[in-house]
Amino acid sequence: MALIVGGVALDLAIRYRIQNQVFFAAEQVAARWSAAARNGAVPRPIPTLTDIPLVQFVDARGRVVNSSMQAAGMRPLSTLRPPADDRLQKRTECSARGRCVMLMANRVSPAVDSPVVYAGTAQPSLLATHNLEYVISAGGILILVSVAWVTWWAVGRTLRPVERERQFASTTSHELRTPIAGLRARLEEALLYPDDVDPRDTIQGALRATDRLEEIVDDLLLLTRLRGPDAVSPELIELGALVTGEVAALGPGVPVRVRAGRDVRVRGSRIQLARLVGNLLSNARRHAVSAVTVSVDSVGGQALVAVTDDGAGVPPEDRERVFERFVRLDEARRRDSGGSGLGLAISRDIARAHKGTLRIEDSPVGARFVLILPLVGTVGAAGKWTFAPGETAVRARRNIWPARRPPGYDCDRVG
């Protein structure tokens, strides 16, 4: 509506300005030759000195008595004879063939038999046709399309986080509803059938459901802090020592072997990076068949942590999807029905908060998660292999892949 109103106003303004310019020029010419007629100084033919080529003197009987060369042989431009008290009038005369002339009529004197001077020109094409309206309409459509696209883009960009948060809230409510429903079912069963239900089993089941709820809530709070404006004060961290410590703290299960380069230093939050490494280790052990390997190196000014398992791996089409919140592939659900489905999402957010990346790369076998962080300092010689508690050197010799043994590898050095 604004464009329509603006277009109409622009059209009228342009037409009004053109008309005023033509009529003003015609008035000047008519007044000039009218004054010359009163002084008896009108040449034959009348010379054309301006952009008004058509000039005629028409007597009281309607006969053309003098004219410019462009108006020679033409019928009178108009039959308008201004009265004595209003000697100057403007008019647009159109013929039957649609040819229009914009002119000014100037009565030479108040006398009854006074001639009339007509000065005019053919109507400009912008006024005679609808080209002006076409141009304004085309411009209005172009502006409308541009504004619509910019609005769609800006609103879409503004609402995209809202849509993500709406989906997140929906998924979160679904994930919370399951343990809450299980907890409620156990408690209601204990109340309805007190003689048939073992209170100890009920309490243990309720505690398991509560643990899952607590795990989900803690992960959600961590995600909120990671994506919030508050930043943790960074500290200098020796990445190899941090990874080795996390491996040493693991409980019984699939063995984990570590090759950590010395002096691979990064700057960030020790707690968050430990959480990231712990998530990757837990994920790898959950899917591994016999072993998990972790390497800490530096490449091109960047610290690199690679966690590789010998499991089924992650299909290429799912390698980005697994980092979404609450996404768990069928294989993960089959191996472990617990978990919040937020571990990898939290891990990627921690990596981004430290100006790094976390992705899944191709691997000859299993899945290979690679963390890259900005490096601080230099890297020393190749580190030694260490093993999770419970893994013996003999077992390490049997399980380690020969292709991955570093130079100078010694299986008797057990961490």
Side-chain angles (χ1 to χ4, degrees):
M1 292 301 296
L3 287 174
I4 291 174
V5 173
V8 171
L10 179 62
D11 179 72
L12 294 177
I14 293 176
R15 284 182 172 274
Y16 179 78
R17 181 175 179 82
I18 294 175
Q19 288 177 349
N20 273 359
Q21 289 177 343
V22 173
F23 282 130
F24 178 77
E27 178 183 352
Q28 297 293 98
V29 173
R32 175 180 179 177
W33 293 118
S34 177
R38 287 193 292 273
N39 296 327
V42 180
R44 287 179 180 273
I46 300 173
T48 302
L49 304 177
T50 66
D51 293 335
I52 305 299
L54 304 178
V55 181
Q56 289 180 338
F57 274 82
V58 180
D59 62 15
R61 296 181 180 180
R63 296 177 300 180
V64 177
V65 296
N66 195 1
S67 68
S68 62
M69 293 186 62
Q70 289 84 347
M74 296 177 59
R75 298 176 58 184
L77 295 177
S78 176
T79 58
L80 173 66
R81 289 187 61 81
D85 57 349
D86 188 12
R87 295 166 51 189
L88 185 65
Q89 294 185 5
K90 60 184 177 182
R91 176 169 291 188
T92 300
E93 297 282 354
C94 295
S95 65
R97 291 179 294 181
R99 184 172 178 269
C100 297
V101 175
M102 299 175 62
L103 57 86
M104 293 295 294
N106 193 326
R107 188 184 183 95
V108 176
S109 69
V112 177
D113 58 348
S114 170
V116 175
V117 179
Y118 297 110
T121 184
Q123 190 178 42
S125 59
L126 280 181
L127 301 182
T129 65
H130 294 292
N131 292 339
L132 177 60
E133 285 77 11
Y134 295 151
V135 172
I136 293 176
S137 299
I141 292 174
L142 181 61
I143 293 174
L144 180 62
V145 172
S146 301
V147 171
W149 184 86
V150 171
T151 303
W152 175 83
W153 177 82
V155 172
R157 184 177 181 181
T158 303
L159 295 182
R160 196 173 297 118
V162 177
E163 182 63 27
R164 285 200 301 264
E165 293 304 321
R166 181 181 301 171
Q167 182 180 4
F168 176 56
S170 174
T171 308
T172 302
S173 62
H174 173 75
E175 292 292 328
L176 291 174
R177 188 180 295 114
T178 301
I180 291 176
L183 177 61
R184 183 182 183 89
R186 286 184 175 276
L187 295 177
E188 288 180 347
E189 184 182 17
L191 288 176
L192 292 174
Y193 310 103
D195 298 332
D196 301 330
V197 176
D198 184 358
R200 184 178 181 84
D201 290 342
T202 300
I203 294 174
Q204 288 178 344
L207 285 176
R208 286 194 296 270
T210 303
D211 289 341
R212 175 160 171 76
L213 283 172
E214 185 178 13
E215 181 182 1
I216 294 175
V217 171
D218 288 344
D219 286 345
L220 290 175
L221 290 176
L222 178 57
L223 273 176
T224 303
R225 288 195 298 269
L226 289 173
R227 301 187 179 188
D230 299 331
V232 179
S233 299
E235 58 180 304
L236 193 61
I237 301 170
E238 210 291 303
L239 203 55
L242 184 143
V243 171
T244 303
E246 288 299 309
V247 172
L250 293 174
V254 176
V256 179
R257 297 187 291 275
V258 181
R259 183 178 64 82
R262 293 192 296 271
D263 296 329
V264 181
R265 302 180 185 274
V266 297
R267 192 174 297 278
S269 167
R270 183 178 299 274
I271 295 177
Q272 291 182 7
L273 290 178
R275 177 66 181 272
L276 189 160
V277 172
N279 287 344
L280 295 181
L281 291 174
S282 298
N283 180 75
R285 296 182 83 193
R286 186 183 305 118
H287 296 87
V289 175
S290 60
V292 174
T293 60
V294 184
S295 63
V296 181
D297 296 297
S298 65
V299 178
Q302 294 178 317
L304 185 148
V305 178
V307 180
T308 308
D309 62 69
D310 59 353
V314 181
E317 63 272 16
D318 292 326
R319 290 183 180 177
E320 282 300 312
R321 199 166 69 89
V322 296
F323 291 104
E324 298 176 7
R325 292 167 291 193
F326 297 116
V327 170
R328 303 187 70 204
L329 302 182
D330 294 338
E331 175 66 15
R333 294 184 182 276
R334 183 183 65 80
R335 287 179 170 267
D336 182 12
S337 59
S340 65
L342 294 170
L344 292 179
I346 291 173
S347 299
R348 173 165 277 187
D349 278 0
I350 293 175
R352 288 173 175 171
H354 287 75
K355 297 181 173 60
T357 61
L358 176 62
R359 62 176 182 263
I360 302 176
E361 295 184 350
D362 293 334
S363 176
V365 62
R368 175 180 169 85
F369 286 78
V370 177
L371 169 67
I372 298 177
L373 297 173
L375 183 67
V376 177
T378 59
V379 179
K384 66 180 181 179
W385 285 90
T386 59
F387 305 94
E391 184 181 14
T392 64
V394 174
R395 185 177 179 183
R397 292 190 189 100
R398 184 170 60 250
N399 290 335
I400 193 166
W401 301 332
R404 295 187 178 272
R405 292 177 182 173
Y409 169 77
D410 183 359
C411 285
D412 292 330
R413 294 186 294 176
V414 180

